[in-house]
Amino acid sequence: MILTSSLNLEAACRQNWDVIVIGAGPAGAVAALQLARQNLRILLVERKTFPRYKVCGCCLNQRAITALQQIGLGDLLSSAGAVPLTQFRMQYQGRDAVVTLPGGLAVSREVFDTQLVQSAIDAGAEFLQETSAMLVGTSENQTSRTVELCCQGQTAGSASAKIILAADGLGHPSLQNCAGFDMQVAPDSRIGVGAAFTVKDHAAYPAGMIHMAIHRSGYAGLVRVEGENLNLAAAIDRDFIKQCAGPANAVLQILRESGSAILPEMHQCSFKGTLPVTRKTLRPVGDRLFVLGDAAGYLEPFTGEGMANAITEGMAVAQLVPEGLAHWNSTLEQKWLRTHAALTDDRLFWCRWLARLLRSPSAVSWGVRLFHLFPGMARPIVARLNH
């Protein structure tokens, strides 16, 4: 499915919007969908052209699936060709362990995000792609905020809304000219690396299983998505990428040393990278502004935690926006801080705890051996991440 903008930039600048949503990933698209269903004037702005590839594990855990069903998007997953997930396999230094998953699906971000945006458009949201947005100044007479809209690197106009949602991913570039939205980046944060392959041979990486290759300097997750596609997403130490002379060689080294299969297609594709991933925005709210999804803080995913968090935050912020449209105050800002913390903090703790364990060779070695012999020991951890 190829998306086109539902209006042009000039029309976007002429209108007075209730909400401008910056970023059309799961958090932004779900928020735009839910707000459009409330008959609000919504502008969803995206700097990329859809469909677009994104470095991501492409997994939806049971929490994400349940959330989508709650907002009437359960059929979207089947129409997208999402692949059911039943197992999680860890490999380290030639050893492996397989754990049962309590449900889950794998679907490429090209397909999933495009269908989410189309759902928002169908609900009445306007969509403007190939356009970046930058929040400027402070609120105008305490009733609206303004964003500069840029096309091909040039400012092309500005649009105003009563409330802005910043859901534009790692580093939230839309807020770079606004004070008070500093991000705390972990000194040892890894770099995200991803690639997608068309692979007809399913023997090495069969459908229905998340494959995780673990290395002292990072890990790589591989999963079959719709069609003949295999998605790879990794988190790798920056020094190791330099040592290997690039992300592609680093990924291949991780697969090789873990005992995972290296496919011919992996030598022929282009690997993409991200900013350092372990980060959070110290205060994800401001005057007539909510920050959500990866823009608020990155949840290092293992079985789809990041996607689940983005979807649930999109749903949650849509419940607070009507109150903000009627009357914005500091009490509302505190509500979002509490909501964001409730949705994120506990899962953030567990994901970062697991990420820390993966940096310890001895912990990984003993963990893989124990889970191989007693797979039931991993179930409480998996359940905790999926709740």
Side-chain angles (χ1 to χ4, degrees), residues 31 116 120 141 153 157 179-180 222 236 250 264 281 289 316 338 354 364 368 384:
L116 281 181
N141 300 318
L222 301 98
I236 307 175
T281 300
L289 168 71
R338 290 193 298 270
L354 285 174
V364 173
V368 170
R384 185 79 179 184

Side-chain angles (χ1 to χ4, degrees), residues 68 76-77 107-116 307:
L68 290 170
L76 180 148
L77 298 171
V107 59
S108 71
R109 292 291 298 273
E110 293 98 318
V111 171
F112 181 61
D113 289 11
T114 299
Q115 293 211 14
L116 281 181
M307 296 267 274

